[in-house]
Amino acid sequence: MIFSTAEMAIVALSLKVAFTATLVSLPFAIAMAWALARGRFIGKPLLNILIHLPLVMPPVVTGYALLALFGKQGPIGEALDAIFGISIAFRWTGAALAAAIMGFPLMVRAIRLGLDAVDRGLEDAAATLGASRWAVFWHVTLPLISPGLLAGAVLGFAKAMGEFGATITFVASIPGETETLPSAIYTLLQVPGGEDAALRLIVLSVVVSIAALALSEIFARRAARKVAGL
């Protein structure tokens, strides 16, 4: 099975969108998971609902909301364009934003489960020995939740690779700019005789997904062995 240059470009764009979405959203996912797992503040249930809302809303609704906010006529998009000359709608960065938002709840949930499983006694012991809160988090908590971090990152990456509804609503499917694997497959299936090309992209999607899961399993096992040796 031979893949064309255009098909490989679609895969490269999809990987760029997925990696960007995962890397940018991971720090925010850690912060939100920490707030939900350890925080005590008014509005915590509301924050929990807002974070997980993309999981239950139709992706098209999320895409439309992004378009209304970040489009050139939207309040955020208009401000970004006027102040910084940045346009997100119908750009690959917009695809990354849509993918990040759709995968964010999955990342937060996985990391929060990791935080809930941490033995608080280890953190208290480190604090008793004089470590600051940041030092406790960096040297004790973060290594302990590394399997959860990896699981969250993989879930976010996989969701970003497969995201379709919110992405195509927000940034459309522009060849070379926003045409990711799901949108390319959908487009080819609407064209007579496009089934063979769609099948090749489907195979590529499966291969990339299996590779990502295999790597995550390897990293997760290494992290688990490291944690067990603490």
Side-chain angles (χ1 to χ4, degrees):
M1 184 177 291
I2 301 175
F3 301 103
S4 67
T5 303
E7 291 167 346
M8 295 307 298
I10 292 171
V11 175
L13 177 62
S14 299
L15 290 172
K16 181 169 74 169
V17 167
F19 275 118
T20 302
T22 304
L23 291 176
V24 171
S25 58
L26 187 58
F28 297 99
I30 295 174
M32 290 300 99
W34 181 274
L36 293 176
R38 303 290 177 82
R40 296 181 180 178
F41 53 91
I42 298 175
K44 182 177 175 179
L46 178 60
L47 177 62
N48 188 43
I49 290 172
L50 290 175
I51 289 174
H52 291 89
L53 199 57
L55 286 180
V56 295
M57 282 199 315
V60 174
V61 175
T62 302
Y64 178 78
L66 288 172
L67 187 61
L69 290 173
F70 290 92
K72 287 192 175 182
Q73 304 301 321
I76 300 177
E78 186 176 10
L80 289 174
D81 187 41
I83 299 173
F84 303 105
I86 298 174
S87 179
I88 296 179
F90 307 108
R91 302 289 176 86
W92 78 268
T93 49
L97 175 62
I101 290 177
M102 294 303 296
F104 191 72
L106 299 175
M107 298 177 72
V108 172
R109 192 169 187 83
I111 297 170
R112 183 181 179 181
L113 289 174
L115 283 168
D116 289 338
V118 170
D119 184 357
R120 299 291 294 273
L122 296 175
E123 296 176 322
D124 294 338
T128 302
L129 293 173
S132 64
R133 294 183 64 181
W134 173 251
V136 171
F137 174 78
W138 187 257
H139 295 289
V140 179
T141 308
L142 198 59
L144 289 174
I145 65 171
S146 55
L149 285 176
L150 287 170
V154 170
L155 286 173
F157 178 84
K159 181 63 176 175
M161 284 291 294
E163 173 51 37
F164 174 71
T167 302
I168 201 167
T169 305
F170 182 35
V171 297
S173 180
I174 305 171
E177 183 66 37
T178 63
E179 189 180 38
T180 57
L181 277 169
S183 61
I185 291 170
Y186 175 80
T187 300
L188 288 170
L189 290 175
Q190 309 308 307
V191 178
E195 292 83 2
D196 290 340
L199 179 60
R200 289 196 295 270
L201 291 181
I202 289 171
V203 170
L204 276 174
S205 299
V206 173
V207 170
V208 170
S209 299
I210 291 175
L213 290 173
L215 285 174
S216 69
E217 184 66 20
I218 292 172
F219 290 142
R221 288 183 178 181
R222 289 181 179 178
R225 286 197 296 265
K226 184 176 180 180
V227 170
L230 288 177

